[in-house]
Amino acid sequence: MSNFKVTRYRVRIGNENRVLERPFSAVFLSDLHNVSYGENNRLLLQEIRNENPALVLVAGDMLTAGRETQMDAAVSLMNELTKRYQVYYANGNHEHRMKEKPEKYGASYERYSNTIKSLGVHLLENGSERLEIQRMALRIWGLELDQTYFRRGGRSVLTASRIDEMLGRPEEGCFHILLAHHPAYFDAYASWGADLTLSGHLHGGMIRLPFVGGLVSPQMRLFPKYDKGLYTKKGKKLIVSAGLGNHTVNIRINNPPELVVIDFV
Ligand SMILES: [Fe+2]
């Protein structure tokens, strides 16, 4: 791939009870699909270093499931990132598919997940971890939905109570960041209690039209909702990345790949 752009968002996590002493940033990666910007993603890593993030957050599809799943670019990126940063990672539909169908994809998920975990990636497979930054409590959750939530026609309906069953309840007094690959279920994520959800999957709608937005999802759904950008609902936020790579349909028009940087204030 030739180039990507950096998109910045500002998200307030402090309130009258919890004050952030100084801003910090997180880099958010999604849908790399095993693409490399320069050898071993040298250009992407350089840009991430320039941002000096406190965290790296990953919302899945870092590779593309295939008969011979290629994972060299995704693994080498995780290898470099974990040398410098805390990396929190939730699977997308591609990683999940590899996990659920070993008869089709062999041991590739086991190989990939064991490798990135051994490098120090915090792989959140319907799980969470709590951390503190400047005495501010954060919990980072990884939601992994099964294939029925990604179907082209007749998707399953996701509710907040279903997320409760999968993840448990978010506790009071924490800022909750939910890594959830598919943005379509923002209502459920927000009602469940995610203060900030980070999603990808739609690749920005591949072809972006002025005043309209994304035209089509990689699953060929027209005018996907929540295709790229920052959305707010009752104080809860969703950031959708246009993603860093492509697969199958290699089209991006008026829709450059993007590296998302979130400035927390
Ligand atoms: Fe996806």
Side-chain angles (χ1 to χ4, degrees):
M1 293 288 273
S2 57
N3 221 341
F4 57 89
K5 67 164 198 166
V6 177
T7 307
R8 308 192 80 89
Y9 299 98
R10 205 174 135 97
V11 172
R12 179 166 296 281
I13 64 170
N15 57 35
E16 61 278 8
N17 303 317
R18 297 177 295 164
V19 178
L20 205 57
E21 287 152 19
R22 56 192 178 280
F24 69 89
S25 68
V27 155
F28 165 40
L29 309 173
S30 186
D31 299 86
L32 182 70
H33 288 291
N34 204 49
V35 154
S36 194
Y37 293 90
E39 199 182 338
N40 294 326
N41 264 310
R42 182 178 55 80
L43 301 171
L44 185 58
L45 285 160
Q46 186 55 56
E47 195 61 50
I48 294 171
R49 268 180 220 131
N50 292 347
E51 294 294 339
N52 190 28
L55 298 169
V56 174
L57 304 169
V58 183
D61 279 9
M62 297 302 274
L63 38 67
T64 303
R67 293 221 170 267
E68 301 276 325
T69 301
Q70 301 298 309
M71 54 182 78
D72 50 333
V75 168
S76 84
L77 180 64
M78 292 302 138
N79 182 35
E80 290 304 318
L81 290 173
T82 48
K83 287 178 187 168
R84 289 166 181 255
Y85 312 110
Q86 295 287 318
V87 180
Y88 294 86
Y89 187 126
N91 285 333
N93 53 310
H94 280 262
E95 291 95 341
H96 182 77
R97 200 187 301 160
M98 285 157 53
K99 184 192 330 191
E100 292 300 295
K101 294 190 172 167
E103 68 281 7
K104 185 167 178 187
Y105 301 108
S108 52
Y109 181 74
E110 213 182 320
R111 203 166 79 241
Y112 179 65
S113 59
N114 286 340
T115 303
I116 64 171
K117 282 192 280 190
S118 74
L119 294 170
V121 169
H122 301 255
L123 184 60
L124 304 171
E125 297 171 278
N126 286 328
S128 71
E129 287 190 30
R130 187 179 189 279
L131 64 150
E132 280 191 23
I133 297 181
Q134 299 172 38
R135 288 176 285 142
M136 181 81 76
L138 280 89
R139 188 173 284 280
I140 304 177
W141 302 78
L143 179 70
E144 189 171 336
L145 297 173
D146 69 46
Q147 296 297 316
T148 63
Y149 293 93
F150 289 86
R151 276 197 302 243
R152 211 173 299 174
R155 281 193 310 234
S156 292
V157 176
L158 185 68
T159 60
S161 58
R162 178 71 191 117
I163 305 176
D164 271 353
E165 289 166 14
M166 295 174 78
L167 299 181
R169 293 288 314 136
E171 75 266 41
E172 293 287 321
C174 248
F175 187 86
H176 294 281
I177 300 175
L178 178 67
L179 306 174
H181 186 67
H182 203 324
Y185 306 106
F186 178 34
D187 290 18
Y189 305 147
S191 334
W192 170 75
D195 296 300
L196 172 65
T197 301
L198 302 178
S199 301
H201 186 56
L202 298 176
H203 300 185
M206 299 204 287
I207 299 165
R208 293 193 66 80
L209 308 173
F211 311 111
V212 174
L215 178 65
V216 61
S217 77
Q219 290 68 40
M220 297 299 142
R221 265 178 180 259
L222 285 172
F223 305 111
K225 205 175 172 185
Y226 307 130
D227 52 8
K228 179 184 176 226
L230 171 68
Y231 305 87
T232 303
K233 187 163 283 181
K234 293 182 188 160
K236 308 292 191 192
K237 290 188 159 49
L238 165 71
I239 292 175
V240 184
S241 167
L244 282 156
N246 281 333
H247 68 92
T248 321
V249 187
N250 241 326
I251 303 174
R252 275 184 185 268
I253 297 175
N254 195 23
N255 177 32
E258 69 178 354
L259 173 68
V260 173
V261 180
I262 303 162
D263 295 313
F264 290 102
V265 297

